[in-house]
Amino acid sequence: MDNTLHLVGIAKKARRVEVGEEPVGAAARARQARLIVLARDAADNTCRRAAHFAEAGACPVVQCPYSKEELGGAVGRTSCAMLAFTDAGLAASFMGKLSARDAERYGETAEAVSAKAARMLQRQREQRRHEQKLQKAGAKPWVAPASCGAERRLAQRGRGAPGKGGKTYPKPGKQS
């Protein structure tokens, strides 16, 4: 099997790829799709839908040099006309492999996807550094105020959950 298709299989096992029209559309609408891939022999209607999904999800769409059967074999199906990577790093790696095969056709998209993946990786690093600084300073992690306030109000009224300082009431029908 080709290394590019092997990468698709790895992404499927890692649950970082959506396969089929409905899951791809849902991932694109949720803005989780990083790259939409079409088989070379995908129908015109499928290509048109993929373009609409890509527009809605603000992600690139690319027609790969593999047939529906080859893509399907990589993801464990008989055929697959459309799939979407939900991980930016895997999408960049996939486009890098395609770009190495045909730089003229896939080079520009590969650069755009890899730049986006680099920005996302940088944001993740910054987030981790921020969390480590908070942990070193002894600050408690942020907790949603609505959940804290609800528990506090219930405890003040004496209706908290058992073990949280609130009263517990016997079940109906049992006499103590």
Side-chain angles (χ1 to χ4, degrees), residues 18-60:
E18 296 293 335
V19 180
E21 192 171 314
E22 290 297 321
V24 169
R29 283 188 296 276
R31 299 216 174 227
Q32 294 175 345
R34 305 295 174 229
L35 174 70
I36 296 177
V37 180
L38 290 169
R40 74 168 177 250
D41 55 349
D44 292 338
N45 199 25
T46 304
C47 295
R48 189 171 36 82
R49 285 190 193 123
H52 287 295
F53 294 154
E55 187 178 321
C59 67

Side-chain angles (χ1 to χ4, degrees), residues 84-158:
F85 284 94
T86 56
D87 183 78
L90 287 170
S93 180
F94 178 81
M95 284 308 301
K97 289 180 184 294
L98 285 183
S99 178
R101 290 181 68 178
D102 189 0
E104 187 177 304
R105 184 172 179 189
Y106 301 111
E108 187 177 324
T109 308
E111 288 176 14
V113 171
S114 64
K116 194 169 188 175
R119 286 192 307 268
M120 291 181 78
L121 183 62
Q122 181 62 30
R123 275 186 249 133
Q124 287 174 354
R125 285 184 188 141
E126 289 172 359
Q127 178 68 28
R128 252 181 281 159
R129 270 191 245 123
H130 178 69
E131 289 171 357
Q132 288 172 351
K133 284 181 182 178
L134 288 177
Q135 196 174 25
K136 278 184 180 178
K140 293 182 180 179
W142 183 80
V143 179
S147 64
C148 295
E151 290 175 5
R152 186 173 53 246
R153 284 190 302 275
L154 286 174
Q156 287 172 349
R157 294 181 192 150

